């Protein structure tokens, strides 16, 4: 299937037939908002290896590097706006076709597109603020940045003295239990599971679509590149998300 109109029509037919869809998004839905993904040719990891959680905790130099990278990306995150893909997902939730969006993304763009925060299940956290690794206190980034620029290190938690870290899940860090449980419950209760822009190689997040299929849901994948779960899907569209999803949702 190649023509854009054919792909939009095939996706619209799946959405029309669904009574309780779940949307699952990866970095690919946000590339059209100017945030690079990790694994494409111009992706973030093609340029920088990620910092493991154990290294962040054990090494002040690694913490400084993590904060330096985060603040270097602040202008990009601050300028990013929801694109047609995010808005189409918000429309699917608003019209009741989809019950929630499970996301691997950390950019807050689903909430910015108008989806209520309690309908966004963030598997890898959120980079728009920080939390204390000791007492879980939420801390905004601006005071951390001011301290970092003045002293060259991030401050410790004002409440307990613990380490502050963006509220994201790094490699080697425990997954958020409540979010994983909610994601698995949603996957087990849906009849259509739509993956948008995920390479589906990051575990345990990639277990969630597998579980949906095991419970009888149809899997739809929109991704520019092949994924390891394509063989499980009833429909695979190799296309840009914004155009295809926007067209499909408008046709409903
Ligand atoms: P990934 O980088 O591994 O894969 C993204 C996939 O999306 C790729 O296969 C790419 O071909 C596809 N893609 C990119 N733009 C697309 C478009 N416009 N239309 C269709 N397909 C497109 O990302 P991932 O699977 O989400 O895993 C990487 C991890 O990195 C995530 O768990 C996430 O936590 C983190 N991450 C988040 C952001 C963000 O919040 N925006 C950005 C980069 C990485």
């Amino acid at each position: 299937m190649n023509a854009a109109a054919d792909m939009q029509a095939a996706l619209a037919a799946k959405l029309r037939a669904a009574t309780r869809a779940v949307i699952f998004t990866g970095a690919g839905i946000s590339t059209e908002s100017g945030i690079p993904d990790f694994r494409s040719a111009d992706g973030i990891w093609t340029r920088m290896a990620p910092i493991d959680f154990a290294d962040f905790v054990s090494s002040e130099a690694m913490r400084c590097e993590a904060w330096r990278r985060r603040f270097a990306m602040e202008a990009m995150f601050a300028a990013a706006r929801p694109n047609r893909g995010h808005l189409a997902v918000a429309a699917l939730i608003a019209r009741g076709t989809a019950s929630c969006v499970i996301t691997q993304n950390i950019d807050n763009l689903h909430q910015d597109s108008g989806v209520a925060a309690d309908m966004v299940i963030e598997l890898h956290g959120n980079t728009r603020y920080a939390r204390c690794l000791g007492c879980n206190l939420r801390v905004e980034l601006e005071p951390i940045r001011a301290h970092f620029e003045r002293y060259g290190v991030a401050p410790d938690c004002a409440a307990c003295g613990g380490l502050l870290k963006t509220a994201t899940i790094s490699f080697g860090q425990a997954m958020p239990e409540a979010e994983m449980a909610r994601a698995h419950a949603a996957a087990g209760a849906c009849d259509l599971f739509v993956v948008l822009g995920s390479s589906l190689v990051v575990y345990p997040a990639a277990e969630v679509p597998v579980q949906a299929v095991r419970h009888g849901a149809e899997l739809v994948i929109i991704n520019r590149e092949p994924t390891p779960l394509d063989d499980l899907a009833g429909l695979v569209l190799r296309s840009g998300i914004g155009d295809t999803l926007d067209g499909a949702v408008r046709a409903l």
Side-chain angles (χ1 to χ4, degrees):
M1 194 177 330
N2 280 321
D6 290 347
M7 292 199 259
Q8 292 168 355
L11 179 60
K14 299 289 182 195
L15 291 168
R16 228 175 266 126
T19 56
R20 43 184 203 289
V22 163
I23 312 292
F24 180 99
T25 62
I29 197 173
S30 294
T31 55
E32 293 173 43
S33 294
I35 301 177
D37 61 17
F38 272 168
R39 290 179 178 77
S40 293
D42 59 347
I44 295 168
W45 285 353
T46 316
R47 291 176 278 127
M48 275 186 294
I51 294 172
D52 281 1
F53 184 63
D55 292 334
F56 183 93
V57 171
S58 64
S59 158
E60 183 170 84
M62 284 299 191
R63 287 196 289 282
C64 288
E65 174 60 11
W67 282 112
R68 188 194 64 73
R69 289 181 188 181
R70 175 61 187 83
F71 295 133
M73 291 194 291
E74 177 54 20
M76 176 191 75
F77 279 118
R81 296 287 173 266
N83 64 53
R84 287 184 300 171
H86 296 104
L87 296 172
V89 170
L92 286 173
I93 290 177
R95 70 198 301 282
T97 306
S99 59
C100 64
V101 52
I102 302 168
T103 188
Q104 295 176 273
N105 293 345
I106 56 175
D107 54 29
N108 208 63
L109 289 179
H110 287 300
Q111 294 92 324
D112 290 348
S113 74
V115 181
D118 64 356
M119 287 181 163
V120 182
I121 303 173
E122 293 177 319
L123 298 183
H124 295 158
N126 191 311
T127 193
R128 306 309 306 265
Y129 55 92
R131 282 200 187 276
C132 171
L133 293 178
C135 69
N136 208 35
L137 180 75
R138 174 176 169 147
V139 182
E140 301 311 315
L141 295 189
E142 207 34 56
I144 300 177
R145 181 182 188 158
H147 189 286
F148 185 79
E149 283 174 358
R150 184 154 185 200
Y151 301 107
V153 292
D156 294 331
C157 174
C160 77
L163 297 176
L164 299 181
K165 178 180 175 292
T166 54
T168 52
I169 306 297
S170 301
F171 280 104
Q173 187 170 2
M175 292 292 283
E177 278 177 32
E179 281 78 0
M180 283 304 286
R182 284 183 66 204
H184 279 292
C190 68
D191 59 353
L192 181 69
F193 194 95
V194 183
V195 174
L196 303 171
S198 172
S199 57
L200 295 175
V201 297
V202 178
Y203 279 80
E207 278 167 9
V208 181
V210 175
Q211 198 214 347
V213 171
R214 219 178 274 139
H215 278 79
E218 177 157 32
L219 179 63
V220 169
I221 297 176
I222 307 181
N223 206 61
R224 278 188 193 141
E225 294 164 328
T227 83
L229 301 190
D230 286 359
D231 288 347
L232 292 182
L235 179 65
V236 177
L237 300 176
R238 292 239 185 293
S239 68
I241 294 160
D243 193 42
T244 305
L245 189 62
D246 180 59
V249 170
R250 283 177 194 278
L252 291 180

